[in-house]
Amino acid sequence: MEIYCDNAATTAIDPEVAQAMLPFLTTHYGNPSSGHQAGRKVKLAIDQARATVAGIIGASPDEIFFTSGATEANNLALSGTIMTYEISHVITSKIEHKAVLQTLAKHEKEGDIEISFVKLDERGNIDLYHLENLLRANPRTLISLMHGNNEIGNITDIHAISKLSQRYDAIFHTDTTQTIGKLRFDLKEMNIDFLVGSAHKFHGPKGVGFIYINKNQRIKAQILGGGQERGQRGGTENVIGIAGLAKALEIANRDLAANHNKISKLKQYFISKVSIAGIPDICYNGESKSVENSIAGILNVSFPCLSQGSIVKKLDQQGIFVSGGSACSNLTTAGSHVLNAIPCEKDKENVRFSFSKFNTFEEVDHMIRSISRIYHAEPSALLHAAASK
Ligand code: PMP
């Protein structure tokens, strides 16, 4: 039995999505920039996909631009804004995705910007008072704060940030890669300038994503070429991927409430089962244990160190696929920048379980049995020591 419980890393393609992509792999292969019928047919499909995405997030189709994924979309939003508007100050947090942090670090190194990191509380939540103070002190700021954290699942109050951004005349970029198709939001109710998504996080294909660029913003393209995507992103469009992205988002949006309900229950079931599995000293990182304050599918757990080896690797050997964050000091894995930025118990093995609509309660039972077996094979003195800490 194989169990895939790493859905924050990527998800399985929904069979309905695969069906929607098929015609563009076989019959409809025209270049959307070609003026003939074969090209026009494909261009129409891209326009329909654009309208689908726009409709779901409350944008207008001319505010949606397809990219190769969220990494590219984040790069475009940040570098494009910094270079177009000569922004010299950016507010972000230490727990953003590397696609954001590394792009900003590059601009800082090149002398384009100064970065202020907003304070986080002990669970990794944004300190909105500190954010407001930073905004008050720094005119013409770009804010880059993610909606849902990919490691600890924290959900940021983007409504509140959008209000602050408007009040202080800032530009607001938010990475919604982990929340698109999972949490409902409407851009008509918020003042967001840039927002990004990636199809493979919501049961679509890899290598395709999108950026929403508010109609009041036009930024310098970062990939130059044939002027595709209305000049914002050169390169022949990934038509197959775009068809899959739109179908995947349509399905995610259609089934959002049912999926949220099922996935939340899977997480709660895991928490209740693991708490009675006889493993001492487990703790949860960020808000991931909370039903209200975290992405339904993400659970970030710290386990006591094993006397030898890693729990993530032992689970992998048994066909259970989960993600590791930071590791015990007897292992050599580099720590997670997210967990390093919040007070989290050190010298524990950190594991991210991330559930999807395709996971089952039987799989949770199986995972708990496997974890329990791993710990019960440990020398009893070690478990005792962990329990009495
Ligand atoms: N931002 C976040 C929050 C993510 O979780 C990821 C994927 N791990 C990315 C950006 C990058 O997405 P992509 O794989 O589409 O480049």
Side-chain angles (χ1 to χ4, degrees):
M1 181 183 198
E2 280 194 350
I3 299 177
Y4 184 81
C5 196
D6 197 15
N7 292 280
T10 197
T11 55
I13 296 193
D14 190 302
E16 266 191 84
V17 171
Q19 279 303 319
M21 292 164 68
L22 215 49
F24 299 95
L25 273 167
T26 50
T27 17
H28 307 321
Y29 52 81
N31 187 323
S33 296
S34 299
H36 47 62
Q37 283 185 47
R40 290 206 308 275
K41 198 177 277 173
V42 173
K43 182 170 183 312
L44 185 67
I46 296 180
D47 288 344
Q48 281 165 350
R50 205 184 301 287
T52 301
V53 175
I56 288 171
I57 62 172
S60 97
D62 59 2
E63 295 175 309
I64 304 297
F65 302 84
F66 293 111
T67 66
S68 66
T71 299
E72 185 197 321
N74 280 328
N75 272 259
L76 171 58
L78 299 171
S79 295
T81 306
I82 291 165
M83 288 155 78
T84 308
Y85 300 118
E86 295 179 3
I87 294 287
S88 58
H89 182 250
V90 180
I91 301 173
T92 190
S93 85
K94 293 211 162 144
I95 61 172
E96 300 302 305
H97 191 270
K98 291 276 177 73
V100 166
L101 291 176
Q102 291 194 2
T103 306
L104 293 179
K106 181 196 90 166
H107 286 289
E108 186 185 42
K109 199 164 166 213
E110 289 170 358
D112 302 329
I113 56 163
E114 272 179 39
I115 303 176
S116 296
F117 290 99
V118 68
K119 284 186 197 154
L120 304 170
D121 72 11
E122 71 285 354
R123 290 216 180 107
N125 298 306
I126 304 288
D127 180 338
L128 290 174
Y129 293 107
H130 186 228
L131 176 60
E132 181 154 15
N133 286 339
L134 288 172
L135 285 167
R136 203 177 285 124
N138 296 283
R140 301 193 67 241
T141 286
L142 167 64
I143 305 168
S144 179
L145 291 170
M146 73 204 313
H147 189 200
N149 187 279
N150 47 303
E151 289 195 35
I152 51 177
N154 286 27
I155 298 171
T156 302
D157 185 350
I158 52 173
H159 280 266
I161 297 173
S162 93
K163 279 194 196 131
L164 286 175
S165 169
Q166 199 163 25
R167 188 173 313 147
Y168 292 95
D169 206 17
I171 296 175
F172 180 24
H173 159 254
T174 185
D175 180 347
T176 50
T177 307
Q178 292 289 344
T179 52
I180 283 274
K182 292 172 193 140
L183 295 178
R184 222 180 275 291
F185 53 79
D186 186 349
L187 286 170
K188 290 194 282 305
E189 294 168 359
M190 285 184 284
N191 181 49
I192 289 177
D193 297 288
F194 303 96
L195 168 157
V196 309
S198 186
H200 72 105
K201 305 290 184 180
F202 48 86
H203 302 288
K206 293 164 187 57
V208 62
F210 73 91
I211 180 168
Y212 156 84
I213 305 181
N214 184 296
K215 58 181 166 309
N216 300 321
Q217 309 288 355
R218 275 300 167 263
I219 50 174
K220 286 181 184 156
Q222 300 301 302
I223 299 179
L224 305 175
Q228 287 90 346
E229 293 300 278
R230 283 103 68 225
Q232 286 282 227
R233 198 265 182 185
T236 301
E237 297 87 341
N238 175 0
V239 183
I240 303 153
I242 291 169
L245 181 151
K247 189 67 183 174
L249 192 55
E250 194 183 303
I251 296 170
N253 189 54
R254 180 191 73 197
D255 302 339
L256 193 143
N259 289 342
H260 189 272
N261 189 25
K262 176 182 174 186
I263 295 168
S264 297
K265 284 192 174 133
L266 284 169
K267 178 157 96 172
Q268 291 314 304
Y269 186 64
F270 184 101
I271 294 170
S272 67
K273 285 278 173 176
V274 83
S275 69
I276 53 166
I279 307 157
D281 225 13
I282 288 179
C283 62
Y284 298 91
N285 298 304
E287 292 285 356
S288 70
K289 195 183 175 190
S290 153
V291 179
E292 301 81 34
N293 301 333
S294 74
I295 298 169
I298 295 185
L299 185 64
N300 196 307
V301 192
S302 287
F303 288 100
C305 294
L306 296 172
S307 50
Q308 271 190 334
S310 132
I311 184 155
V312 172
K313 288 206 179 108
K314 283 183 197 278
L315 289 175
D316 184 22
Q317 283 156 8
Q318 297 176 32
I320 298 174
F321 310 132
V322 297
S323 228
S326 59
C328 297
S329 48
N330 61 348
L331 303 168
T332 49
T333 325
S336 135
H337 74 281
V338 173
L339 295 176
N340 286 337
I342 57 172
C344 143
E345 279 193 55
K346 304 296 175 224
D347 213 25
K348 285 210 166 190
E349 185 169 350
N350 169 261
V351 186
R352 179 188 68 186
F353 299 89
S354 49
F355 305 92
S356 84
K357 63 179 179 179
F358 292 133
N359 287 118
T360 63
F361 291 92
E362 291 72 36
E363 287 179 338
V364 173
D365 284 332
H366 188 93
M367 279 195 286
I368 301 290
R369 274 198 300 275
S370 299
I371 297 167
S372 182
R373 266 201 303 273
I374 291 169
Y375 276 96
H376 287 104
E378 280 286 296
S380 58
L382 189 107
L383 279 178
H384 179 73
S388 59
K389 248 200 259 171

